[in-house]
Amino acid sequence: MIKIFYNSQMSCKYCALAVSFMERYKFEYKTIDISLPENQKEYNMAEKVLIEQHEASDVLPYVIIDDTYGFAGFPEVETEYQILEYIQRVKK
């Protein structure tokens, strides 16, 4: 399962790009609003995944794949093929 972490209290163009990408490529995903206190535990897990992979954790969205791999931010449509390749590689 792919998790997209976002903050509903902020406008996030890249969060919308991430959701659009998941829908177009028919990935199973869920969105998690980090501004809600009940999501703090999952948010902490996501930060830990990013830190373990030496990824920046100061850019939203966080995209976490199977609670194991992840990255922060999301590219423009022109370069999203890199994300598709990455997801296909780590989900094997």
Side-chain angles (χ1 to χ4, degrees), residues 36-78:
L36 300 175
E38 61 265 23
N39 293 332
Q40 186 64 42
K41 186 176 179 178
E42 282 200 271
Y43 175 66
N44 291 340
M45 177 279 304
E47 276 194 318
K48 182 179 176 186
V49 168
L50 294 177
I51 289 168
E52 287 174 353
Q53 293 183 5
H54 306 286
E55 289 280 338
S57 61
D58 58 344
V59 178
L60 289 177
Y62 294 173
V63 179
I64 305 298
I65 304 159
D66 298 332
D67 293 341
T68 306
Y69 300 99
F71 57 92
F74 208 84
E76 295 285 343
V77 174
E78 297 82 30

Side-chain angles (χ1 to χ4, degrees), residues 6 8 12 16 31 33 57-58 76 88:
Y6 73 102
S8 66
C12 179
T31 56
D33 184 354
S57 61
D58 58 344
E76 295 285 343
Q88 289 171 336

